[in-house]
Amino acid sequence: MTASEPTILATSGGHRAGGRTMVTFGGLVHHAVELSGVHGRRPRVMYVGTAIGDAEHFTARMHEAGRVAGFDLTPLHLFPMPNLEDVEGAVLEQDVIWVMGGSVANLLAVWRVHGLDDVFRRAWQAGVVLSGVSAGSICWFKGGATDSFGPELRPLTNALGLLPYGNGVHYDSDAGRRPLIHRLVADGTLPETHCTDDGVGLVYHGTKLVEAVTEVPGKGAYVVARKDDSAIEQRIEPRRL
């Protein structure tokens, strides 16, 4: 079972500290599974930790979160080599791909070396739900604002481009992101850009934004568009999961 059309859930959330576990999956991860349409068996979720160098301690935490959630969780590691013999086959068997945050610039470089950019495009077209948080959100768009190059935020414009927009993450928790996104849209560095407060996700069917959802009350999503060499921001009220 896969989604009936290409689907992406791009987020600034999805997991938090658990009770008996270090990490627990929040409403956004569960919504990604719902979007896949899986039923009658345990959901198959692939965790991709490239953006944090496939840190083994976090992979273990995600395994525990998957166990508690009732998922069959498969990690995809690319360091020091792919941990799966048939990466594309494993990706296409999943219901959901969940990409961890970290360095989106490093993630994109490593994915391209291993051909994951093409693999994920084919998975998206086949109905595997692509999702993730922070770097795992920006990667699906044209680009966004990132601290991949140092503590000062900089533009990134060479993401996968499955979605023809820019993406702004952590819009309410990092004071530098909103003004930079506005400047990058106003000067044409980024196209129309879709942004999320922490805890918010954006659902796309094909390349169309169809809904904003949130696991945290009071949060927002935003569309920043260019008009007369300036940036205009429109707030979207997300549906509470």
Side-chain angles (χ1 to χ4, degrees):
M1 174 64 68
T2 54
S4 59
E5 56 189 318
T7 302
I8 290 176
L9 175 62
T11 87
S12 290
H15 26 81
R16 61 184 185 277
R20 294 182 179 275
T21 59
M22 294 293 290
V23 176
T24 189
F25 290 139
L28 290 169
V29 176
H30 287 278
H31 190 54
V33 171
E34 291 171 5
L35 289 168
S36 77
V38 62
H39 63 274
R41 59 168 173 79
R42 290 167 63 90
R44 293 191 289 262
V45 177
M46 176 172 280
Y47 163 69
V48 184
T50 317
I52 53 171
D54 293 334
E56 291 185 5
H57 73 283
F58 204 83
T59 299
R61 294 174 182 179
M62 295 296 274
H63 259 301
E64 277 293 277
R67 178 186 62 79
V68 171
F71 302 159
D72 285 339
L73 189 139
T74 298
L76 172 60
H77 288 171
L78 299 176
F79 295 93
M81 66 178 74
N83 65 321
L84 303 171
E85 182 70 26
D86 179 5
V87 172
E88 181 169 359
V91 168
L92 290 171
E93 288 177 348
Q94 305 304 309
D95 301 303
V96 172
I97 306 298
W98 182 267
V99 180
M100 183 59 189
S103 171
V104 67
N106 291 354
L107 172 155
L108 291 166
V110 174
W111 281 5
R112 285 177 170 133
V113 165
H114 290 276
L116 263 294
D117 48 347
D118 292 332
V119 169
F120 285 140
R121 180 180 293 275
R122 289 192 287 272
W124 174 62
Q125 292 169 339
V128 179
V129 175
L130 305 182
S131 55
V133 54
S134 194
S137 175
I138 296 171
C139 61
W140 312 121
F141 294 79
K142 290 281 191 180
T146 181
D147 56 5
S148 295
F149 306 106
E152 183 176 342
L153 291 166
R154 289 172 53 181
L156 179 132
T157 58
N158 67 334
L160 299 188
L162 302 183
L163 299 172
Y165 316 104
N167 182 223
V169 295
H170 307 307
Y171 208 55
D172 61 334
S173 60
D174 186 336
R177 291 186 184 265
R178 179 179 257 117
L180 179 56
I181 290 292
H182 277 235
R183 178 171 66 80
L184 295 174
V185 171
D187 68 16
T189 301
L190 289 178
E192 176 181 297
T193 295
H194 301 172
C195 307
T196 50
D197 288 343
D198 286 355
V200 175
L202 300 170
V203 179
Y204 297 84
H205 290 161
T207 59
K208 181 181 179 181
L209 174 61
V210 296
E211 187 179 32
V213 293
T214 183
E215 58 190 12
V216 180
K219 299 298 185 113
Y222 310 86
V223 173
V224 182
R226 187 182 187 190
K227 183 178 181 180
D228 300 327
D229 295 327
S230 63
I232 305 298
E233 179 180 291
Q234 176 186 2
R235 180 182 170 103
I236 300 172
E237 293 300 327
R239 176 174 64 87
R240 178 72 190 277
L241 295 172

